[in-house]
Amino acid sequence: MFTGIVETLGKVVKIEQEQTNTHYFIESEFASELKIDQSVAHNGVCLTIVEIQGKVYKVTAISETLQKTHLHTWQVGTQLNLERGMRLGDRLDGHIVQGHIDQVGVCQQVQDQKGSTVFTFSYDTDKGNLTIEKGSITVNGVSLTVVNSQKGMFSVAIIPYTMQHTNLRWIAKGDLVNLEFDVVGKYILRASQMGIITPKTFLQ
């Protein structure tokens, strides 16, 4: 489990293809602190460490992961938001993040608000996901608050610190991003679709 609070940036230094799998070699300042089999979120995607050599570690993405995320767009030099799994007893400064991407979104607009930056993203509503005003959303592994929720679209306001310490500062109109919707909201939505809960449930 993760929180959506990015620890550091990592850089893709090598990519290898093996049948339908893709191996990514990531350079990171905390590589020496990692262990084999440890989980790390990369732009919000939970991947397992399979090899460590100095400041570089290796992770493997299977076909399903490549299809459901924007990992296939990564190239040598791509900067990634990195977060290690949450430790028991830590403060939950972001929100509950599983590291399981729901779908890919597209940046539609970037606006400089002279103190913050507002990003607007669109997503395919056929996937059954949604956002709510002031709800939580994870964009490229960053825990953010929705400020303008519409059908198939939402906006988030980014403070300067977050811009400086994540790869959001390089996102431009048309770029793809990994989206993980709020897990609590997903359970409620699914339960309502199955008739397990109804509006009356919350009035009892």
Side-chain angles (χ1 to χ4, degrees), residues 79-92:
Q79 298 281 338
L80 306 175
N81 293 327
L82 302 180
E83 181 192 358
R84 286 173 286 188
M86 184 180 180
R87 292 179 295 190
L88 187 64
D90 279 357
R91 291 184 177 90
L92 184 59

Side-chain angles (χ1 to χ4, degrees), residues 9-181:
L9 289 172
K11 182 173 68 174
V12 178
V13 294
K14 186 169 70 171
I15 301 173
E16 291 182 348
Q17 194 72 33
E18 183 182 8
Q19 297 184 39
T20 60
N21 296 336
T22 302
H23 305 295
Y24 295 97
F25 294 79
I26 314 297
E27 183 179 72
S28 165
E29 61 183 28
F30 64 38
S32 61
E33 302 174 29
L34 300 176
K35 298 178 180 179
I36 302 298
D37 282 340
Q38 187 173 354
S39 295
V40 174
H42 302 71
N43 276 8
V45 184
C46 179
L47 298 172
T48 302
I49 309 300
V50 296
E51 183 180 308
I52 304 170
Q53 293 185 358
K55 293 184 178 181
V56 177
Y57 65 86
K58 173 183 173 183
V59 293
T60 299
I62 62 175
S63 178
E64 181 180 6
T65 303
L66 295 169
Q67 292 172 14
K68 291 186 176 181
T69 69
H70 70 46
L71 266 71
H72 61 277
T73 67
W74 293 0
Q75 301 175 350
V76 171
T78 295
Q79 298 281 338
L80 306 175
N81 293 327
L82 302 180
E83 181 192 358
R84 286 173 286 188
M86 184 180 180
R87 292 179 295 190
L88 187 64
D90 279 357
R91 291 184 177 90
L92 184 59
D93 292 320
H95 70 282
I96 298 174
V97 177
Q98 295 180 298
H100 302 155
I101 303 304
D102 294 303
Q103 62 185 100
V104 171
V106 182
C107 180
Q108 297 295 335
Q109 190 177 48
V110 182
Q111 296 175 290
D112 182 2
Q113 299 287 4
K114 299 185 183 302
S116 66
T117 305
V118 175
F119 290 85
T120 299
F121 299 101
S122 63
Y123 61 94
D124 183 2
T125 56
D126 290 342
K127 302 290 185 181
N129 297 304
L130 56 79
T131 62
I132 62 170
E133 199 74 16
K134 306 305 180 186
S136 296
I137 185 75
T138 307
V139 179
N140 273 2
V142 183
S143 173
L144 300 169
T145 300
V146 175
V147 296
N148 182 19
S149 177
Q150 303 178 40
K151 183 177 180 180
M153 191 170 294
F154 67 92
S155 298
V156 291
I158 312 298
I159 63 174
Y161 180 89
T162 303
M163 287 288 285
Q164 294 169 10
H165 291 84
T166 70
N167 63 14
L168 296 180
R169 65 182 182 269
W170 294 302
I171 292 178
K173 182 178 180 179
D175 285 351
L176 303 180
V177 293
N178 290 324
L179 300 178
E180 180 181 336
F181 294 79

